[in-house]
Amino acid sequence: MTNAMLNLGAGVVQFKNLALVAGVATPAQVSAIAALPGVQSVYLNRQLQYYGQGAGLYALMLHESVPTIRADAVQAMGITGKGMGIAILDSGIDGLYNPDLVYPTHTVQNIKVIFNLSDVVTFKGPAPKPLKQGLDIFAENLPNSETSVGHGTHVAGITAALGTASADYYKGVAPGAQLVGIGTGDVLFIFFALAGFDYILEHRQDYNIKS
């Protein structure tokens, strides 16, 4: 499939753990790709939206939501998520300035997607670049992969905040777990989300990622 797309003049990014290929193509090339043998579907790289509500359980503060789901009772039994890895596929995690999510002891890996398509997309040519995999388009080992919106840091805090900055008042659901931050950018598109899943599947054993 990759070679067929390259022969049509499209740019390609492969995935190592997903049976998908991402492409940069003109409308005519997209039509030709859709007609290739073995192609089951073609999707536009749409922007994804976050949905939520401002009332009920969605409006609870962290110190309220943890006891609401009885996570505090579970923590009192000594079950804190210790030894487990949790991947946060979102806008990133601030492990540099947030003491509840500190990198690299609590947020053990922190990565950010590379946005320059010329660095990640392969086009056919006289000396083509090596094909990139979706999991290859991230910069790793970043203390802070949260560059603006704060949504990923917020989600990470709900998940596993240590409570350091608030004397345990704002402690996450699983504070003993280790976090892997996957920053897909301030505006999330389907391709970058898929690349994030590709990274998670490739490294799930490295960080014992269970969720």
Side-chain angles (χ1 to χ4, degrees), residues 8 12 16 19 27 59 85 90 95 115 144 147 149 160 164 166 170 173 182 188:
L8 289 170
V12 174
K16 187 171 183 179
D90 207 291
F115 273 97
N144 185 4
T147 54
V149 297
T164 303
S166 60
Y170 294 114
V173 173
I182 303 169
L188 178 59

Side-chain angles (χ1 to χ4, degrees), residues 169-181:
Y169 190 63
Y170 294 114
K171 183 183 287 187
V173 173
Q178 295 183 321
L179 294 168
V180 176

